[in-house]
Amino acid sequence: MDIKGYVRKGRYFRWKKLYGRGMDLAVNIGHLKLKNPVMTASGTFGYGEEYSEFVELNMLGAVVIKGISLKPMEGNPSPRICETPCGMLNSIGLQNIGLKRFLKEKLPYLKKFDTRLIVNILGNTPQEYVKLSKSLDDVSVDGIELNVSCPNVKKGGIILGTNKKALARLISKIRQSVKKAIVITKLSPNVSNIQEFSKIAEDAGSDAVSLINTIPGMAIDIETWKPKLANITGGLSGPAIKPIAVRMVWEAHNAVKIPIIGIGGIMNAEDAIEFMLAGATAIEVGTANFVNPKATIEIINGIEAYLKKRDMLDVKELIGGLNATESHNNLND
Amino acid sequence: MSRYFKAKIINNLPLNSKNHLLSIEPLEQVINPEPGQFYMIEVGNSYDPLLKRPFSYFRKTEEGIQFLYTIKGKGTSLMKDFKQGRIININGPLGTGYPKPEKGYTPLLVAGGIGIASIFSLTETFAKKALILYGARNKDEIFVLNELKALTDELIISTDDGSLGEKGTVIDVLNDFLTRQSSLATRHLLYACGPKPMLEAISKIATDNGIKGYVSLEENMACGFGACLGCAVKTINGYKRVCKEGPVFSMEEIIW
């Protein structure tokens, strides 16, 4: 509709807001305002600089940095990845340069951008998580995402994320020691009841939950009878896991009031919107970055186009917008 | 200029029952490739297969950028049906290619099978100075023979079945060659690309003979530009990324 149409319908001010001042794509995670709901998923966006020639980092809602541990980790043996139908398995094993080098070598670069900086952290013990959170809070990162759901390491990771008492204790300890940054708990899909774990995170003081991490999986080469990954098992990601992730976001949305960050096989704007309708306030793009390094930007543009097409002014109108009283699908299209 | 671009398929010629020559024309300004670099090519337009596939830069001709590939699995089976005019997404050129030639050494290029694609990209760098050893299973799998002959005065072809050149593997040829050279062997600098067991054997021969050299490795990779850490290879300096620090590595660096 052009301006005349809007004036005719008495919607001039709406038009002005929509096209004159721009649409509102901003969302809030705790006290943190993101310019749009599109974030990067930890472990798929390196330390940000790997994407600098493809993506204008300033355009992103937030950059989530690959899991950082106190000491550098060398990761798992190769092969570390394999492709599966509509997805991939990985067992990288959280290879990272460690906190000290991250602060010295990567942080100054990341600080140059006008985007929110969230660092994913992994500890072997609760004390290590606290130490990492404190150090990162001290250098003013915007958020800390607790990796309590990695399936590829022997300590920390999924072990903490699937034990209710340990998880509650861990989050409250971190919450107490972090002053400025928001705390996001990244949940494992490997639990019987995601609502229970989301609630634990909320009650322990987490500002938000992000879900889901990869789903433990496995693939075998039938010619050699060998596992396709040196680590035997790995984490499944990509479009294959999207319906599971959407379901879990929906369940979590019905259980907690804190914002939910949806993750799992988001390839385009349509997928992102689906997650938001299920209850996600923001989303993280993961495996899609490998396939199309510009995926995040295309998703932001796609969300904007969708809102424009539907004559919507505020992306927040999507959050939890699911109309569960009726159903609709076009299987035979 | 971007390393992520759209390209048009110019042609996709079968060379034999399982190898093809793909020519693409970028539809935007692209970065010039260096010998030994590679490209990630989109093989389908659905989510299965999901990931792009890495292919060595072979050469540039009037027909565009060319790649040699072997039909091996899901991805390459889809590629063989690429029709002229189709538009695909490509990332590249990626990775660190072969280092610049060193003075005082004679380049000794060793290619096994489809590894010729990567080695061929080097031949122009060395003009006529390089010696090339090129082995494959049989004569049908020996490519660009005439071009190689024009690019070097010294080319030794070998096939496993003896259908062309010497009978045996390129490893046998390399061993014979170095034996003949005896004390002069260390004047050579090796550049090798081929299957991993071949590269491992060549590295061992190089170490035994006190020769330096480079290998171009292949590994499963998801992104191709250093983000996923899926293609890590064990080196004496810890894990390195085949897609970023590689695919070309100094032989002595790799822990086989």
Side-chain angles (χ1 to χ4, degrees), chain B residues 7-82:
Chain B
K8 189 160 89 179
I9 309 278
I10 300 301
N11 58 48
N12 186 25
L13 296 172
L15 300 173
N16 56 34
S17 60
K18 55 177 192 175
N19 292 285
H20 280 233
L21 173 67
L22 175 71
S23 308
I24 58 131
E25 184 197 320
L27 298 178
E28 44 207 285
Q29 279 252 309
V30 292
I31 295 161
N32 265 330
E34 305 276 343
Q37 285 192 302
F38 70 97
Y39 290 79
M40 295 292 284
I41 298 184
E42 174 189 271
V43 294
N45 46 18
S46 78
Y47 293 151
D48 190 18
L50 180 67
L51 304 168
K52 292 195 178 80
R53 300 294 194 257
F55 295 95
S56 288
Y57 163 61
F58 170 42
R59 66 178 175 190
K60 256 168 136 176
T61 70
E62 286 163 4
E63 303 221 280
I65 304 174
Q66 293 191 320
F67 304 92
L68 280 173
Y69 67 94
T70 306
I71 302 158
K72 265 190 168 169
K74 216 178 200 174
T76 42
S77 300
L78 285 170
M79 279 176 75
K80 83 173 187 306
D81 298 326
F82 273 175

Side-chain angles (χ1 to χ4, degrees), chain A residues 68-70 96-103 132 135-136:
Chain A
I68 300 286
S69 50
L70 219 44
N96 79 91
I97 57 174
L99 178 68
K100 212 166 132 192
R101 277 185 64 197
F102 171 75
L103 296 178
L132 281 158
S135 313
L136 290 163

Side-chain angles (χ1 to χ4, degrees), chain A residues 74 77-78 80-81 83 291, chain B residues 50-53 220 229 232:
Chain A
E74 77 160 359
S78 286
R80 291 175 168 187
I81 57 165
E83 196 180 54
V291 181
Chain B
L50 180 67
L51 304 168
K52 292 195 178 80
R53 300 294 194 257
N220 286 357
L229 308 183

Side-chain angles (χ1 to χ4, degrees), chain A residues 1-306:
Chain A
M1 192 164 13
D2 63 3
I3 183 165
K4 278 179 188 157
Y6 275 95
V7 171
R8 213 165 36 238
K9 289 195 172 177
R11 291 160 79 188
Y12 173 70
F13 289 102
R14 192 172 163 83
W15 184 89
K16 199 171 170 198
K17 198 172 168 199
L18 192 55
Y19 296 101
R21 273 184 275 155
M23 190 180 293
D24 192 6
L25 286 179
V27 295
N28 293 299
I29 307 287
H31 63 75
L32 192 67
K33 186 172 178 176
L34 312 185
K35 62 176 79 168
N36 62 61
V38 179
M39 309 164 65
T40 63
S42 168
T44 66
F45 212 69
Y47 300 106
E49 58 196 359
E50 290 85 345
Y51 283 83
S52 56
E53 65 174 308
F54 305 116
V55 173
E56 175 69 64
L57 296 181
N58 291 326
M59 283 183 70
L60 301 176
V63 171
V64 183
I65 296 305
K66 176 164 184 57
I68 300 286
S69 50
L70 219 44
K71 296 264 156 63
M73 285 171 74
E74 77 160 359
N76 288 333
S78 286
R80 291 175 168 187
I81 57 165
C82 77
E83 196 180 54
T84 55
C86 300
M88 61 178 279
L89 286 167
N90 89 76
S91 65
I92 308 300
L94 286 165
Q95 178 181 340
N96 79 91
I97 57 174
L99 178 68
K100 212 166 132 192
R101 277 185 64 197
F102 171 75
L103 296 178
K104 196 166 161 245
E105 296 168 24
K106 307 292 178 184
L107 190 65
Y109 171 81
L110 290 160
K111 285 263 182 183
K112 288 192 283 193
F113 295 96
D114 176 27
T115 183
R116 298 302 189 180
L117 178 62
I118 294 169
V119 182
N120 183 288
I121 59 164
L122 175 105
N124 284 326
T125 60
Q127 291 71 28
E128 285 191 14
Y129 278 96
V130 170
K131 208 167 167 189
L132 281 158
S133 317
K134 254 188 171 160
S135 313
L136 290 163
D137 191 38
D138 286 347
V139 295
S140 300
V141 304
D142 297 302
I144 291 157
E145 184 179 60
L146 309 179
N147 182 345
V148 286
S149 42
C150 178
N152 293 323
V153 287
K154 295 205 170 61
K155 292 182 194 160
I158 205 164
I159 320 268
L160 275 166
T162 51
N163 178 327
K164 292 173 206 169
K165 275 189 189 153
L167 182 65
R169 267 203 306 271
L170 176 71
I171 297 169
S172 14
K173 263 193 200 154
I174 292 167
R175 189 61 280 179
Q176 283 158 22
S177 55
V178 171
K179 301 283 176 286
K180 294 166 290 186
I182 60 160
V183 175
I184 302 166
T185 307
K186 186 165 182 176
L187 295 174
S188 169
N190 217 29
V191 293
S192 55
N193 186 342
I194 197 74
Q195 295 190 317
E196 220 177 336
F197 282 84
S198 310
K199 199 86 185 71
I200 288 169
E202 181 176 48
D203 293 344
S206 192
D207 294 291
V209 285
S210 54
L211 62 147
I212 59 177
N213 205 323
T214 56
I215 300 173
M218 181 170 165
I220 300 168
D221 183 288
I222 63 159
E223 295 305 321
T224 58
W225 297 23
K226 288 177 181 170
K228 288 191 178 176
L229 298 176
N231 193 45
I232 305 176
T233 62
L236 179 63
S237 67
I241 72 167
K242 196 189 78 174
I244 300 172
V246 172
R247 184 264 299 173
M248 289 190 137
V249 165
W250 165 241
E251 288 175 349
H253 174 68
N254 290 326
V256 296
K257 291 192 180 65
I258 52 173
I260 295 157
I261 301 166
I263 323 165
I266 297 174
M267 299 298 287
N268 51 38
E270 289 75 16
D271 296 337
I273 291 161
E274 195 177 343
F275 271 88
M276 292 191 76
L277 291 172
T281 297
I283 55 100
E284 291 181 10
V285 180
T287 302
N289 292 312
F290 300 151
V291 181
N292 170 7
K294 292 185 174 165
T296 43
I297 301 301
E298 289 175 12
I299 291 171
I300 296 167
N301 293 337
I303 294 174
E304 197 168 352
Y306 174 87

Side-chain angles (χ1 to χ4, degrees), chain B residues 183-252:
Chain B
S183 63
L184 295 176
T186 50
R187 287 202 187 166
H188 292 90
L189 193 56
L190 272 163
Y191 297 81
C193 185
K196 209 168 177 182
M198 171 196 132
L199 298 179
E200 186 178 350
I202 289 178
S203 291
K204 193 173 176 304
I205 294 169
T207 315
D208 292 348
N209 287 278
I211 303 173
K212 290 203 303 175
Y214 303 95
V215 286
S216 177
L217 298 183
E218 189 179 33
E219 191 50 78
N220 286 357
M221 51 182 75
C223 69
F225 46 84
C228 74
L229 308 183
C231 62
V233 60
K234 204 153 202 171
T235 76
I236 51 172
N237 303 308
Y239 280 114
K240 288 195 172 179
R241 296 166 293 185
V242 168
C243 74
K244 196 81 180 181
E245 288 80 36
V248 176
F249 291 93
S250 153
M251 280 177 181
E252 55 262 42

